[in-house]
């Protein structure tokens, strides 16, 4: 079956710290992988995506690389800001266009 | 603004009642997805429609039903409500079916509180 497992939160970091949120997946076939972000009181919005192995998605200083050999898609950012405080969801899309989301990781960045 | 519109934004109702949540997808999007987000179960996929037809079904209870109309808007009907149905219900839409890298766009959600 298809599933996504991501790092349990909450995560609290100081401003300018390095961020890693781990995500691993199980899928049949060749899924696309996504990171979505949910700011307080809002819906989820696409942060970045990768559609095939070894692709790197990037946006707003965040990066994630599609690693087929380790079935992972870890989210990283070199220097977080207070405005990055949000809940981050890892997701996969299977070939039937069905999306499976992880449980979300809450990030709080303190000044 | 994602272009996906959900109404109502907030709803409080009593146990045993029935409610309808409405979603208007982004202009031109044929696929609509419904998700339930609760504190203890995270984001759960309920159901997907494509151009009026049910495409996939997830963890949707028998007390819940959905449909997508010819104008592509969708409704999620929740009946015989229980306290545990209190959650944030999201609608999402996308333009494609098939292929890969299909981005879905979320509405802001409908907060349902059952008392």
């Amino acid at each position: 079956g298809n599933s996504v497992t991501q790092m349990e939160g909450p995560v609290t970091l100081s401003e300018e710290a390095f961020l890693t949120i781990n995500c691993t997946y199980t899928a049949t076939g060749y899924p696309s992988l996504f990171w979505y972000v949910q700011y307080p009181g809002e819906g989820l919005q696409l942060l970045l995506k990768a559609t095939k192995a070894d692709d790197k998605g990037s946006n707003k200083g965040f990066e994630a690389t599609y690693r087929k050999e380790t079935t992972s898609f870890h989210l990283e950012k070199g220097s977080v800001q207070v405005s990055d405080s949000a809940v981050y969801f890892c997701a996969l899309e299977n070939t039937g266009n069905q999306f499976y989301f992880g449980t979300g990781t809450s990030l709080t960045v303190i000044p | 603004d994602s272009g996906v519109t959900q109404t109502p934004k907030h709803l409080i109702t009593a146990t045993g009642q029935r409610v309808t949540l409405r979603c208007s997808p982004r202009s031109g999007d044929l696929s609509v997805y419904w998700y339930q987000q609760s504190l203890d179960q995270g984001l759960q996929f309920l159901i997907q429609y494509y151009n009026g037809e049910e495409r996939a079904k997830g963890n949707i209870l028998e007390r819940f039903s959905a449909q997508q109309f010819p104008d592509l808007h969708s409704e999620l009907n929740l009946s015989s409500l229980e306290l545990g149905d209190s959650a944030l219900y999201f609608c999402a839409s996308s333009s494609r079916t098939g292929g890969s890298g299909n981005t879905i766009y979320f509405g802001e959600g409908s907060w349902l509180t059952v008392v």
Side-chain angles (χ1 to χ4, degrees):
Chain A
N2 299 287
S3 66
V4 173
T5 302
Q6 65 180 97
M7 187 172 129
E8 293 275 335
V11 174
T12 302
L13 295 173
S14 297
E15 205 164 23
E16 299 183 3
F18 183 84
L19 168 71
T20 300
I21 301 178
N22 290 338
C23 171
T24 57
Y25 68 90
T26 303
T28 51
Y30 302 97
S32 296
L33 301 174
F34 302 78
W35 278 99
Y36 278 78
V37 59
Q38 183 180 25
Y39 297 103
E42 299 182 12
L44 281 72
Q45 28 182 298
L46 177 68
L47 180 59
L48 53 84
K49 69 181 183 184
T51 59
K52 61 184 187 297
D54 300 325
D55 267 4
K56 177 186 281 189
S58 61
N59 186 26
K60 300 182 182 179
F62 291 90
E63 293 183 339
T65 301
Y66 188 149
R67 300 283 189 205
K68 190 167 183 293
E69 63 277 9
T70 54
T71 61
S72 65
F73 193 56
H74 304 321
L75 182 68
E76 296 182 336
K77 187 175 185 183
S79 176
V80 293
Q81 306 300 312
V82 172
S83 58
D84 294 327
S85 297
V87 181
Y88 293 82
F89 291 88
C90 186
L92 71 81
E93 177 204 16
N94 66 8
T95 51
N97 304 126
Q98 285 134 35
F99 284 76
Y100 298 82
F101 286 82
T103 52
T105 301
S106 174
L107 169 67
T108 301
V109 180
I110 54 177
Chain B
D1 182 6
S2 68
V4 179
T5 304
Q6 290 187 246
T7 57
K9 290 195 187 306
H10 299 275
L11 189 58
I12 301 175
T13 190
T15 54
Q17 294 299 304
R18 172 189 169 96
V19 299
T20 297
L21 309 180
R22 182 187 167 101
C23 170
S24 293
R26 292 188 323 151
S27 178
D29 282 0
L30 299 178
S31 278
V32 168
Y33 305 75
W34 285 98
Y35 288 85
Q36 178 193 58
Q37 185 178 36
S38 58
L39 284 176
D40 58 344
Q41 296 207 341
L43 195 63
Q44 298 284 315
F45 167 65
L46 296 178
I47 198 163
Q48 177 195 1
Y49 280 84
Y50 176 76
N51 202 21
E53 299 291 324
E54 183 182 303
R55 186 75 186 268
K57 192 175 272 194
N59 300 322
I60 189 166
L61 299 172
E62 286 191 8
R63 300 182 286 110
F64 296 178
S65 64
Q67 55 184 324
Q68 186 180 25
F69 294 87
D71 67 351
L72 302 177
H73 91 271
S74 178
E75 293 181 355
L76 178 66
N77 300 296
L78 315 174
S79 61
S80 302
L81 285 167
E82 302 174 0
L83 295 178
D85 298 328
S86 296
L88 184 54
Y89 291 84
F90 283 113
C91 173
S93 74
S94 70
S95 58
R96 288 163 41 191
T97 182
S100 63
N102 185 26
T103 299
I104 61 173
Y105 298 87
F106 283 79
E108 294 190 352
S110 292
W111 271 107
L112 172 66
T113 302
V114 182
V115 297

